[in-house]
Amino acid sequence: MNDNSQNTVVLDTTIEGYLRGCVGFDVDDSAISTILIDRGLLPGTDVTELDKRTKELCKADLYMWCASTPSVKGSIEDSHGVWKHKEGGTQSSAFDKRNLRAMANDIYKRYGENTTGSTIRMTARGMRIWRK
C-alpha cells in the first residue's frame, strides 16, 4: 500500500486562524493581537493546547470587536453608464451587530465575566392632554 496521499490538507490550528474562522469578516492583525494580549496568550499558540473557556472568551472578544467596527468598510465602486464595478468592502446591519453582542454576552455570562448591558427598563404610561 502506498503511503502517499493526494488529499493533504494543512489546517491552520493557531489561535489566530481559529479566530479568523469564527466570523465572516476580514479581521485586522492588530485586533487579534489585542485580543491575545488581553487574554495573556502568545501569538502562534496551538488552539488544541487551549481549554474551551479560553477559546470561547477569545471568540467573545472577537464578536465584540466585529460589533464595534464601522457598518460599511473599505468599499470602492466605479461606474460608467451601465457598467459598474465594486471592490472589497463589507457591510453589516444593526441587527448583525446586535446578534454579535448578544452572542458575546452569552459567553461572558457563562464564564462569569462582566457583561455590558443596561438594567434600566422604560415603561410607557401614556400621555394626558390637559385643557386650559
Side-chain angles (χ1 to χ4, degrees), residues 1-117:
M1 183 171 227
N2 191 355
D3 288 333
N4 293 333
S5 173
Q6 292 180 356
N7 295 327
T8 56
V9 177
V10 178
L11 297 176
D12 185 8
T13 60
T14 62
I15 185 65
E16 294 94 332
Y18 170 78
L19 290 174
R20 288 184 201 286
C22 289
V23 293
F25 295 97
D26 290 329
V27 182
D28 296 338
D29 290 337
S30 60
I32 290 182
S33 295
T34 301
I35 291 169
L36 297 180
I37 290 168
D38 288 347
R39 293 288 170 189
L41 299 173
L42 295 173
T45 301
D46 195 323
V47 76
T48 58
E49 296 175 5
L50 299 174
D51 60 341
K52 183 178 179 180
R53 178 183 189 276
T54 304
K55 287 189 292 189
E56 286 196 349
L57 287 172
C58 286
K59 190 188 323 182
D61 293 342
L62 179 65
Y63 289 161
M64 286 303 229
W65 179 85
C66 290
S68 68
T69 58
S71 294
V72 178
K73 185 177 178 182
S75 176
I76 299 172
E77 187 172 342
D78 295 328
S79 65
H80 186 267
V82 294
W83 177 83
K84 286 187 179 182
H85 174 73
K86 188 172 185 177
E87 284 183 22
T90 58
Q91 184 171 357
S92 58
S93 67
F95 179 75
D96 296 333
K97 292 181 180 218
R98 191 172 31 243
N99 283 343
L100 286 167
R101 284 188 185 96
M103 290 188 301
N105 284 329
D106 287 344
I107 294 170
Y108 290 142
K109 284 178 191 173
R110 186 178 316 135
Y111 294 108
E113 297 235 341
N114 290 334
T115 60
T116 56

